[in-house]
PDB file of all heavy atoms in Angstrom:
ATOM      1  N   MET A1485       3.606   7.611  -3.258  1.00 74.00           N
ATOM      2  CA  MET A1485       2.386   7.945  -2.337  1.00 74.00           C
ATOM      3  C   MET A1485       2.855   8.007  -0.859  1.00 74.00           C
ATOM      4  O   MET A1485       2.306   8.803  -0.141  1.00 74.00           O
ATOM      5  CB  MET A1485       1.297   6.971  -2.452  1.00 74.00           C
ATOM      6  CG  MET A1485       0.879   6.848  -3.990  1.00 74.00           C
ATOM      7  SD  MET A1485       0.376   8.404  -4.764  1.00 74.00           S
ATOM      8  CE  MET A1485      -1.238   8.718  -4.001  1.00 74.00           C
ATOM      9  N   CYS A1491       3.052   5.143  -6.338  1.00 91.00           N
ATOM     10  CA  CYS A1491       1.706   5.219  -6.775  1.00 91.00           C
ATOM     11  C   CYS A1491       1.549   3.918  -7.655  1.00 91.00           C
ATOM     12  O   CYS A1491       2.372   3.705  -8.455  1.00 91.00           O
ATOM     13  CB  CYS A1491       1.286   6.421  -7.461  1.00 91.00           C
ATOM     14  SG  CYS A1491      -0.214   6.341  -8.322  1.00 91.00           S
ATOM     15  N   HIS A1493      -0.129   3.658 -10.140  1.00 96.00           N
ATOM     16  CA  HIS A1493      -0.292   3.931 -11.542  1.00 96.00           C
ATOM     17  C   HIS A1493       0.996   4.374 -12.182  1.00 96.00           C
ATOM     18  O   HIS A1493       1.023   4.685 -13.441  1.00 96.00           O
ATOM     19  CB  HIS A1493      -1.233   5.128 -11.804  1.00 96.00           C
ATOM     20  CG  HIS A1493      -2.643   4.782 -11.328  1.00 96.00           C
ATOM     21  ND1 HIS A1493      -3.377   3.779 -11.872  1.00 96.00           N
ATOM     22  CD2 HIS A1493      -3.301   5.261 -10.279  1.00 96.00           C
ATOM     23  CE1 HIS A1493      -4.559   3.638 -11.112  1.00 96.00           C
ATOM     24  NE2 HIS A1493      -4.495   4.549 -10.127  1.00 96.00           N
ATOM     25  N   CYS A1494       2.068   4.318 -11.375  1.00 93.00           N
ATOM     26  CA  CYS A1494       3.519   4.843 -11.801  1.00 93.00           C
ATOM     27  C   CYS A1494       4.067   3.606 -12.616  1.00 93.00           C
ATOM     28  O   CYS A1494       4.144   2.585 -12.072  1.00 93.00           O
ATOM     29  CB  CYS A1494       4.200   5.110 -10.580  1.00 93.00           C
ATOM     30  SG  CYS A1494       5.936   5.818 -11.010  1.00 93.00           S
ATOM     31  N   CYS A1499       3.042   8.182 -15.852  1.00 94.00           N
ATOM     32  CA  CYS A1499       1.731   7.707 -15.305  1.00 94.00           C
ATOM     33  C   CYS A1499       0.862   6.967 -16.359  1.00 94.00           C
ATOM     34  O   CYS A1499       0.734   7.512 -17.464  1.00 94.00           O
ATOM     35  CB  CYS A1499       1.071   9.144 -14.910  1.00 94.00           C
ATOM     36  SG  CYS A1499      -0.560   8.853 -14.280  1.00 94.00           S
ATOM     37  N   ILE A1501      -2.232   6.509 -16.213  1.00 97.00           N
ATOM     38  CA  ILE A1501      -3.619   7.163 -16.248  1.00 97.00           C
ATOM     39  C   ILE A1501      -3.530   8.714 -16.384  1.00 97.00           C
ATOM     40  O   ILE A1501      -4.300   9.298 -15.921  1.00 97.00           O
ATOM     41  CB  ILE A1501      -4.492   6.773 -15.034  1.00 97.00           C
ATOM     42  CG1 ILE A1501      -3.921   7.229 -13.807  1.00 97.00           C
ATOM     43  CG2 ILE A1501      -4.698   5.215 -15.053  1.00 97.00           C
ATOM     44  CD1 ILE A1501      -4.865   7.377 -12.607  1.00 97.00           C
ATOM     45  N   ARG A1505      -5.792  11.230 -14.583  1.00 97.00           N
ATOM     46  CA  ARG A1505      -5.285  11.390 -13.215  1.00 97.00           C
ATOM     47  C   ARG A1505      -6.153  12.197 -12.230  1.00 97.00           C
ATOM     48  O   ARG A1505      -6.787  13.176 -12.765  1.00 97.00           O
ATOM     49  CB  ARG A1505      -3.874  11.876 -13.307  1.00 97.00           C
ATOM     50  CG  ARG A1505      -3.620  13.171 -13.671  1.00 97.00           C
ATOM     51  CD  ARG A1505      -2.219  13.485 -14.084  1.00 97.00           C
ATOM     52  NE  ARG A1505      -2.051  15.023 -14.352  1.00 97.00           N
ATOM     53  CZ  ARG A1505      -2.327  15.535 -15.484  1.00 97.00           C
ATOM     54  NH1 ARG A1505      -2.973  14.959 -16.402  1.00 97.00           N
ATOM     55  NH2 ARG A1505      -2.065  16.869 -15.663  1.00 97.00           N
ATOM     56  N   PRO A1506      -6.105  11.952 -11.039  1.00 96.00           N
ATOM     57  CA  PRO A1506      -6.970  12.776 -10.224  1.00 96.00           C
ATOM     58  C   PRO A1506      -6.488  14.256  -9.936  1.00 96.00           C
ATOM     59  O   PRO A1506      -5.316  14.566 -10.263  1.00 96.00           O
ATOM     60  CB  PRO A1506      -6.892  12.122  -8.796  1.00 96.00           C
ATOM     61  CG  PRO A1506      -5.849  11.094  -8.916  1.00 96.00           C
ATOM     62  CD  PRO A1506      -5.491  10.858 -10.385  1.00 96.00           C
ATOM     63  N   CYS A1510      -2.489  15.157  -7.965  1.00 92.00           N
ATOM     64  CA  CYS A1510      -1.836  15.038  -9.286  1.00 92.00           C
ATOM     65  C   CYS A1510      -1.865  16.194 -10.188  1.00 92.00           C
ATOM     66  O   CYS A1510      -0.890  16.634 -10.731  1.00 92.00           O
ATOM     67  CB  CYS A1510      -2.137  13.758 -10.137  1.00 92.00           C
ATOM     68  SG  CYS A1510      -2.107  12.295  -9.081  1.00 92.00           S
TER      69      CYS A1510
HETATM   70  S1  LIG B 920       0.374  11.448 -11.746  1.00 84.93           S
HETATM   71 FE1  LIG B 920      -0.913  10.805  -9.949  1.00 84.93          FE
HETATM   72  S2  LIG B 920      -1.867   8.978 -10.670  1.00 84.93           S
HETATM   73 FE2  LIG B 920      -0.242   9.284 -12.151  1.00 84.93          FE
HETATM   74  S3  LIG B 920       1.458   8.166 -11.332  1.00 84.93           S
HETATM   75 FE3  LIG B 920       1.679  10.160 -10.541  1.00 84.93          FE
HETATM   76  S4  LIG B 920       0.749  10.018  -8.524  1.00 84.93           S
HETATM   77 FE4  LIG B 920      -0.024   8.211  -9.717  1.00 84.93          FE
END
Side-chain angles (χ1 to χ4, degrees):
M1485 302 307 280
C1491 170
H1493 301 296
C1494 185
C1499 176
I1501 60 160
R1505 69 196 185 283
C1510 311

